Amino acid sequence: LLRVPALAEGDRRAAALQALRAEGVGAASGYIPLHRNEALLRESKAIAERLGQPYPELPCPNADTVSRDTMWLPQTYMLGNEEFTHGVADAILKVVRVVGGASA
């Protein structure tokens, strides 16, 4: 898991994930925050309704931020040798500099 705040705007993270794949690095966007997960929301609201309770819809700005600027690498990457690890790091730096802008 790594966070790159510069990728939170627009479609930058999606572009970064695509560029990483082109560099041979598999990465994923991770999970939908629980407060945005439609299946969980549907069930939680149904439970609240059955109990005659209001469903609290609270903002979770930190979860929203993390869900926009986080990329997940496969756990097996931690098993790579030093050369492999440096190759992954170099690809990430290259992509973040290009996609995330000069300040990334």
Side-chain angles (χ1 to χ4, degrees):
L1 160 70
L2 64 130
R3 290 190 62 205
V4 184
L7 298 181
E9 299 175 29
D11 292 331
R12 286 182 175 179
R13 183 179 62 176
L17 291 170
Q18 184 176 0
L20 282 172
R21 283 190 288 277
E23 293 288 325
V25 175
S29 60
Y31 303 98
I32 296 170
L34 293 178
H35 70 290
R36 303 266 183 231
N37 183 303
E38 290 298 324
L40 183 61
L41 285 172
R42 200 170 32 254
E43 186 63 25
S44 298
K45 288 177 181 180
I47 291 170
E49 185 177 321
R50 282 195 304 269
L51 295 173
Q53 300 291 321
Y55 181 80
E57 296 198 28
L58 302 173
C60 299
N62 292 333
D64 287 330
T65 297
V66 170
S67 74
R68 287 189 307 270
D69 68 8
T70 302
M71 296 188 295
W72 294 70
L73 299 173
Q75 185 176 2
T76 55
Y77 281 17
M78 295 190 312
L79 302 173
N81 62 23
E82 188 172 350
E83 181 181 350
F84 175 82
T85 302
H86 283 286
V88 171
D90 290 343
I92 291 169
L93 287 171
K94 175 182 175 182
V95 166
V96 169
R97 284 186 184 126
V98 172
V99 176
S103 63

